[in-house]
Amino acid sequence: MTVERIRVAVTGAGGRMGREVVKMVLEDEALQLVAAVDPSSGPVDAGIFAGHSNTGVIVSATLDEALSGAKADVLVDFTVPQAAYGNTKTAIEYGVRPVIGTTGFTPEQIEELDELCKEKGIGGLIAPNFSIGAILMMKFAAEASKYLPHVEIIEYHGDQKLDAPSGTSIKTAELISQVRQELRQGNPKEEETIEGARGGYYNGFRIHSVRLPGVFAQQEVIFGGYGQTLKIRHDSYDRAGYMPGVNVAVKKVMTYTGLIYGFEHIMD
């Protein structure tokens, strides 16, 4: 019996993450690349992004153009915050399940997109991070905060990252806040002599964003207690490390209805 392959479209296909997604799809026999979007590459074969020979998929300049004739099942988006919301709405309108790795969505946008997915009877996923190790870091941090409620987050990315703090640090903070009551930390009389020196405020604790060339993606969650500290840290060194998670997401999103926020909810 022949198993029907999942038909995948990729936006931002010529970008650094997009190229990894195209390669992952082409190398998995359960998946089929049916559309690719990259406004700046021109009408070239999508295989050029992954070092493959002729795939028969010509890169489109717009998502509407790509989806209008592709009959895609899933859209994978690793673009920029300014484009991802519109791309997600467009995909849902076509009945295509969005798997979104771009950050910057507001809670209101996520709620709206969830309703749209339910109306169409399709699943969707927005995940600030697809790395298995990063998800475990978040889970461990949430567990530790039950016992060590004094916490700060430091996240490190390259200097070209557009949003701060990162989606991963915000998701970590949300998970911590679900199990930790708000506790305003530090000396109540503390004063910033340079604005922002203490980082961004979230539910009583701080998030610090480092942006430097030469950095890829790291995050550490630091807990303080009497006479001790605990540090939970995750380091990413290569974009390929996210692809096992993206692969799982593409397959899982076919099995449920509604939009899920956070890859941890679909991990086995």
Side-chain angles (χ1 to χ4, degrees):
M1 184 178 69
T2 303
V3 178
E4 191 169 344
R5 300 162 77 188
I6 299 172
R7 298 170 60 86
V8 181
V10 180
T11 50
R16 290 170 293 185
M17 283 295 290
R19 289 172 181 266
E20 293 292 342
V21 176
V22 170
K23 181 179 179 182
M24 179 273 292
V25 172
L26 292 174
E27 293 179 353
D28 187 335
E29 293 183 355
L31 308 178
Q32 180 182 359
L33 184 70
V34 297
V37 181
D38 191 84
S40 61
S41 67
V44 298
D45 189 281
I48 194 173
F49 297 140
H52 282 249
S53 56
N54 184 16
T55 66
V57 176
I58 302 302
V59 177
S60 300
T62 68
L63 184 56
D64 275 300
E65 177 187 337
L67 296 183
S68 60
K71 297 182 179 179
D73 298 309
V74 177
L75 170 74
V76 180
D77 183 294
F78 283 93
T79 54
V80 294
Q82 295 88 338
Y85 172 68
N87 289 346
T88 306
K89 285 193 71 173
T90 298
I92 296 170
E93 289 169 3
Y94 278 94
V96 179
R97 298 157 179 84
V99 171
I100 311 299
T102 308
T103 56
F105 288 84
T106 67
E108 293 75 22
Q109 288 174 332
I110 293 171
E111 183 177 351
E112 176 195 2
L113 295 169
D114 177 40
E115 290 301 319
L116 292 175
C117 280
K118 289 175 180 175
E119 289 174 9
K120 283 287 188 177
I122 60 176
L125 175 70
I126 295 174
N129 202 312
F130 283 91
S131 165
I132 305 300
I135 301 303
L136 292 173
M137 176 264 297
M138 296 182 210
K139 287 179 173 285
F140 296 157
E143 183 67 19
S145 68
K146 297 176 185 177
Y147 307 98
L148 294 169
H150 291 266
V151 57
E152 299 209 3
I153 298 172
I154 306 175
E155 55 95 353
Y156 309 76
H157 283 84
D159 61 343
Q160 298 305 301
K161 183 171 177 60
L162 297 178
D163 55 323
S166 69
T168 297
S169 65
I170 293 173
K171 182 63 177 177
T172 306
E174 290 172 349
L175 292 175
I176 289 172
S177 297
Q178 289 173 9
V179 296
R180 168 194 175 276
Q181 291 186 346
E182 182 168 359
L183 170 66
R184 193 176 184 93
Q185 299 174 181
N187 192 310
K189 295 182 179 180
E190 83 174 7
E191 180 181 351
E192 288 183 327
T193 56
I194 299 178
E195 183 181 356
R198 287 289 292 118
Y201 182 88
Y202 188 100
N203 203 45
F205 58 93
R206 301 288 181 165
I207 303 175
H208 308 266
S209 296
V210 177
R211 297 290 179 267
L212 289 171
V215 177
F216 184 55
Q218 292 87 34
Q219 178 173 297
E220 59 182 336
V221 188
I222 306 172
F223 299 88
Y226 293 110
Q228 62 179 320
T229 60
L230 170 67
K231 296 180 180 180
I232 301 174
R233 179 179 174 114
H234 177 260
D235 297 85
S236 292
Y237 302 106
D238 193 292
R239 291 174 180 83
Y242 299 109
M243 291 307 107
V246 177
N247 187 282
V248 168
V250 167
K251 295 169 181 176
K252 282 287 186 72
V253 79
M254 300 291 296
T255 66
Y256 61 84
T257 301
L259 183 77
I260 291 175
Y261 173 57
F263 182 73
E264 69 276 7
H265 297 297
I266 66 169
M267 285 180 66
D268 289 329

